[in-house]
Amino acid sequence: RALIQRCPNPPIHNFVSIGGQHQGVFGLPNCLDTNAKCEKIRRYLNAGAYIPTIQLRLVQAQYWHDPLNEEAYRFLSNFLADINNEVRINDDYVTNLQKLDNFVLVKFNQDMVVVPRESEWFGFYTPGQDQEIQMLNESRLYTEDRLGLQSMEAAGKLTFLGTDGDHLEFS
């Protein structure tokens, strides 16, 4: 998706995102929130994810989205916050994304790698906590149409598909 937003040539007409973490991740793959060890590891990951050197060298850190500290995410994430137009709206990103004829988002309904799995449909934890999910249509990204997703959905260009299975597990 970042390629489409940042590089309009060659033109891309149809994009299918299969299990992409569009709102990032806040958790450890295959680790349940109820597991104390997993929660401890998540705290360690959270402590280092926004360190500039780590942001520059570790792609996983560039997808880290801390719902407990949205300000840190917006201002210290050097990739995801930018392509999601979190701080300022880059009109080129909106224009380039809206050139798509079809934008298909595929979510794995039992995904244990992308946490939360709703990120695959631009959903994420409601800001300020890490339990309740805010779906795309309830988010600032959508209501302010910061990426043009609301416009794309109204034009019939945005499709949400779900499939049973874990991350990238096809039957």
Side-chain angles (χ1 to χ4, degrees):
R1 173 173 62 96
L3 177 69
I4 294 165
Q5 289 176 232
R6 291 177 171 175
C7 305
N9 292 307
I12 297 172
H13 299 282
N14 300 294
F15 178 61
V16 179
S17 172
I18 302 173
Q21 56 273 29
H22 297 284
Q23 278 287 20
V25 296
F26 186 66
L28 195 62
N30 297 306
C31 234
L32 299 174
D33 289 341
T34 56
N35 183 316
K37 184 173 149 184
C38 291
E39 187 58 32
K40 187 175 185 177
I41 293 170
R42 180 161 72 171
R43 281 197 304 270
Y44 286 133
L45 290 170
N46 204 41
Y50 298 125
I51 294 171
T53 305
I54 293 174
Q55 278 282 309
L56 290 173
R57 295 200 169 103
L58 204 73
V59 72
Q60 295 87 343
Q62 295 175 8
Y63 283 92
W64 193 257
H65 182 166
D66 181 357
L68 305 174
N69 189 348
E70 287 286 327
E71 188 170 318
Y73 158 68
R74 282 192 196 106
F75 293 102
L76 300 175
S77 166
N78 68 5
F79 174 70
L80 189 63
D82 175 57
I83 66 164
N84 281 348
N85 280 343
E86 296 282 3
V87 177
R88 67 175 189 85
I89 294 181
N90 182 325
D91 292 324
D92 289 338
Y93 289 180
V94 176
T95 299
N96 293 340
L97 198 59
Q98 288 194 343
K99 288 178 184 176
L100 288 172
D101 295 324
N102 295 290
F103 186 4
V104 180
L105 300 166
V106 179
K107 178 179 82 165
F108 291 91
N109 296 328
Q110 289 79 34
D111 202 324
M112 294 289 292
V113 174
V114 176
V115 180
R117 68 180 62 98
E118 290 81 6
S119 180
E120 296 168 15
W121 282 357
F122 280 96
F124 203 69
Y125 295 113
T126 301
Q129 53 81 46
D130 63 355
Q131 298 299 312
E132 293 179 24
I133 299 295
Q134 181 181 68
M135 300 311 289
L136 170 62
N137 64 345
E138 303 166 324
S139 71
R140 176 175 164 257
L141 182 71
Y142 188 86
T143 60
E144 295 177 10
D145 213 13
R146 298 180 75 81
L147 280 180
L149 297 174
Q150 186 181 78
S151 301
M152 291 181 79
E153 186 173 34
K157 294 180 168 187
L158 188 61
T159 303
F160 301 90
L161 299 176
T163 186
D164 288 332
D166 198 351
H167 192 69
L168 302 180
E169 180 180 272
F170 298 96
S171 57

